[in-house]
Amino acid sequence: MSSAIDRSMDEAKTSKFHYKVLFISGLGFFTDAYDLFIIGVVILLLPYAGWHNISIFYKGLVTSTALLAAVIGSVVFGRLLDYSGRKAIYGFELVALIAGSLGSAFLTPVNNIFMLLFWRFLLGVGIGGDYATSSTIMTEYSSTMNRGKFVGMIFSMQSFGLIAGPLISIAFLSNYVSPYITWRLLLAIGAIPAIIVIYFRRTMPEPPRYTADVRGDYKLAAKNLKTFAGLDSTGSKGKTINAPWYVLFRDRKFLLTLIGTAGAWFLMDWAFYGNSIMSNSILSFLVPSTVSGIHSIIMTNEYSAIIFGVAAFPGYWIAAFTIDRIGRKPVQITGFAMMAISFGIISAFSFLTTYRFLDYFLLLYGISYFFIMFGPNVTTFVYPPEVFPISTRGLGTGISAAGGKTGAFIGTLADTIILSITGLHFLMGMLAIIAAIGLILTIVLLPETKRRDLGETSGEARYAEWK
């Protein structure tokens, strides 16, 4: 039996407060996407800015270090989210993100690859923390009918970050801003959105669900519900949820669910991040041999902006606005299936990766991007906070995100090396297999959670202790 607090929030109409939470959380995800993907442009600019002899290994390490750090950040912040409370933690992940962004831009000497790696690592810790905190908090504030839409919209703010990176790069380079200045500005800009919202995150109230169901303070929860959401709550206090953190590993059902959420995210991020961060290198295969230097970088950024804008952007938002009607599982299945097909076609017909067949390649590459977004990129973010008990929701979400960022780290590092050794067609074949495995994992291990209350989807009733 859920408390009156839970029922009030499950049945709540959309309010200004929901959009406030959406803005505060979503702007962080704009920053996350921008910071993660702009490094692909920066790594191409560094040789023109006085950096010498960066090996393939170090290129892969620079582009993937933030992803490895995000694994740590998502688990640590996820656990703290459950242990200390949502309000106590929210906002500190942005402190790490801002420090890492500004440090990598202004405190990294030319040719000091290790200092750049340090600041990118700190940046990644903050990004990982944002994955664990924002989805959990938005989930707990949302109603049953609109939960998928609001959590999906937060994640879809990534789409603006994806497009902003190439466009800003083109603006600098086309106006002949020196590469010595451009690479630093590109890294520094990522701190601006985080700075804008950090105060609002630190002053957000504790979600009433957590206050009532975990802390057992029903009176404070009802007060916050009225003050910040304008909702009245009368009725039963319900239960206090006492699911310890290790239940995720000892309970077979939760363990299989965790394998499903973390595993699908791992496979999706391998395909997505390796593909996206490496997009400038991948698309460089399509640049005519007569184009070189900075002009080559500008052209690959133009291709990236077109693909992100035409394919990725609508995929994000169509998923966000339809996920509560179609369901999480069908969207994720469709996305993985279409990824496997499009990657497989590019791999099977290697001539598609030549400039002569540019239109066909961009079409297939764009289709893959659309269905990554209208598919597992959004759903793997929506799923975790819905399927774990509230007292372990942060950790379950954090571990799931850590699975994703582990895949992103491995994919980015491996794809850099694979692309340089074997060529694009082999890389695409490998990504097709990865997507097919994700499809199977989704079918076997993940439930459908659309328009079901959190108490039901998370299995909290099995760990309720009546008071």
Side-chain angles (χ1 to χ4, degrees):
M1 180 181 176
S2 62
S3 71
I5 295 289
D6 292 314
R7 292 195 299 274
S8 295
M9 300 201 74
D10 284 339
E11 298 168 3
K13 294 180 180 180
T14 301
S15 67
K16 291 182 180 179
F17 183 75
H18 287 105
Y19 288 109
K20 179 181 177 181
V21 178
L22 175 64
F23 172 78
I24 292 170
S25 300
L27 206 55
F29 267 84
F30 169 91
T31 302
D32 295 345
Y34 177 88
D35 283 331
L36 284 174
F37 297 125
I38 200 63
I39 194 65
V41 180
V42 170
I43 202 69
L44 294 178
L45 280 174
L46 292 182
Y48 301 95
W51 291 65
H52 304 299
N53 302 320
I54 305 176
S55 67
I56 293 174
F57 173 77
Y58 278 116
K59 285 182 179 179
L61 200 57
V62 168
T63 55
S64 59
T65 291
L67 299 169
L68 178 62
V71 174
I72 299 171
S74 59
V75 174
V76 170
F77 276 93
R79 177 66 186 125
L80 289 173
L81 206 64
D82 294 330
Y83 181 79
S84 301
R86 287 39 167 163
K87 178 178 173 60
I89 299 303
Y90 204 35
F92 284 116
E93 72 287 343
L94 292 185
V95 174
L97 189 153
I98 292 167
S101 182
L102 296 179
S104 61
F106 301 122
L107 299 178
T108 301
V110 172
N111 284 316
N112 193 327
I113 198 77
F114 296 104
M115 186 62 72
L116 181 59
L117 289 172
F118 169 79
W119 290 115
R120 291 291 297 178
F121 187 90
L122 183 60
L123 171 81
V125 171
I127 290 174
D130 200 17
Y131 272 79
T133 55
S134 290
S135 61
T136 297
I137 288 171
M138 189 75 250
T139 294
E140 291 178 356
Y141 271 118
S142 298
S143 69
T144 300
M145 295 297 289
N146 294 318
R147 188 173 62 234
K149 180 181 77 173
F150 278 116
V151 179
M153 286 175 70
I154 285 178
F155 194 72
S156 295
M157 289 296 290
Q158 271 196 349
S159 61
F160 293 101
L162 281 175
I163 296 173
L167 291 181
I168 293 171
S169 302
I170 292 169
F172 283 146
L173 298 175
S174 297
N175 288 283
Y176 305 103
V177 178
S178 167
Y180 292 89
I181 299 173
T182 297
W183 76 269
R184 294 188 185 276
L185 292 179
L186 289 177
L187 293 176
I189 286 171
I192 295 173
I195 292 171
I196 291 173
V197 298
I198 189 170
Y199 168 78
F200 298 103
R201 287 197 178 189
R202 289 301 306 140
T203 55
M204 274 188 65
E206 191 79 83
R209 294 182 196 267
Y210 181 86
T211 304
D213 295 346
V214 178
R215 298 303 188 198
D217 193 341
Y218 182 85
K219 185 176 293 186
L220 179 60
K223 178 182 177 182
N224 285 343
L225 189 66
K226 177 65 176 177
T227 301
F228 296 102
L231 297 174
D232 291 308
S233 175
T234 57
S236 64
K237 292 186 177 181
K239 56 186 181 285
T240 300
I241 307 300
N242 290 292
W245 66 269
Y246 52 79
V247 74
L248 298 177
F249 306 98
R250 292 189 180 181
D251 182 279
R252 183 175 181 273
K253 182 176 180 180
F254 283 126
L255 179 59
L256 290 175
T257 302
L258 185 62
I259 292 172
T261 55
W265 208 338
F266 172 89
L267 296 164
M268 190 283 301
D269 268 14
W270 183 323
F272 174 47
Y273 278 86
N275 208 4
S276 297
I277 293 178
M278 290 300 298
S279 63
N280 285 79
S281 297
I282 290 171
L283 295 171
S284 67
F285 282 84
L286 305 175
V287 176
S289 58
T290 54
V291 179
S292 61
I294 295 296
H295 295 291
S296 174
I297 298 176
I298 292 174
M299 184 172 285
T300 56
N301 272 283
E302 289 172 345
Y303 289 151
S304 294
I306 291 170
I307 290 173
F308 293 157
V310 174
F313 187 89
Y316 273 111
W317 293 97
I318 292 173
F321 283 100
T322 61
I323 194 171
D324 284 318
R325 293 194 296 272
I326 298 174
R328 286 65 161 152
K329 193 164 184 172
V331 171
Q332 187 157 309
I333 287 173
T334 301
F336 270 131
M338 292 304 296
M339 287 165 61
I341 292 170
S342 55
F343 289 145
I345 292 173
I346 294 174
S347 175
F349 302 99
S350 58
F351 62 84
L352 291 170
T353 61
T354 62
Y355 185 75
R356 182 181 175 187
F357 294 92
L358 172 64
D359 293 343
Y360 296 102
F361 176 84
L362 290 178
L363 176 62
L364 286 167
Y365 198 55
I367 289 172
S368 75
Y369 257 100
F370 176 84
F371 283 102
I372 288 174
M373 311 314 171
F374 182 73
N377 196 33
V378 172
T379 52
T380 52
F381 183 76
V382 173
Y383 254 128
E386 294 184 322
V387 294
F388 300 114
I390 190 168
S391 59
T392 58
R393 183 167 290 144
L395 181 61
T397 301
I399 293 175
S400 300
K405 292 302 162 278
T406 300
F409 169 75
I410 294 173
T412 302
L413 184 60
D415 290 358
T416 304
I417 298 171
I418 291 169
L419 187 63
S420 64
I421 295 175
T422 66
L424 185 56
H425 70 282
F426 182 87
L427 174 61
M428 289 295 171
M430 185 184 71
L431 295 182
I433 295 172
I434 288 172
I437 297 172
L439 171 64
I440 295 170
L441 207 62
T442 301
I443 294 172
V444 174
L445 294 180
L446 293 178
E448 179 54 65
T449 58
K450 72 169 183 177
R451 294 183 174 176
R452 296 166 60 192
D453 66 72
L454 288 175
E456 180 185 0
T457 62
S458 66
E460 289 171 355
R462 289 184 290 154
Y463 297 94
E465 200 172 87
W466 295 96
K467 289 192 175 183

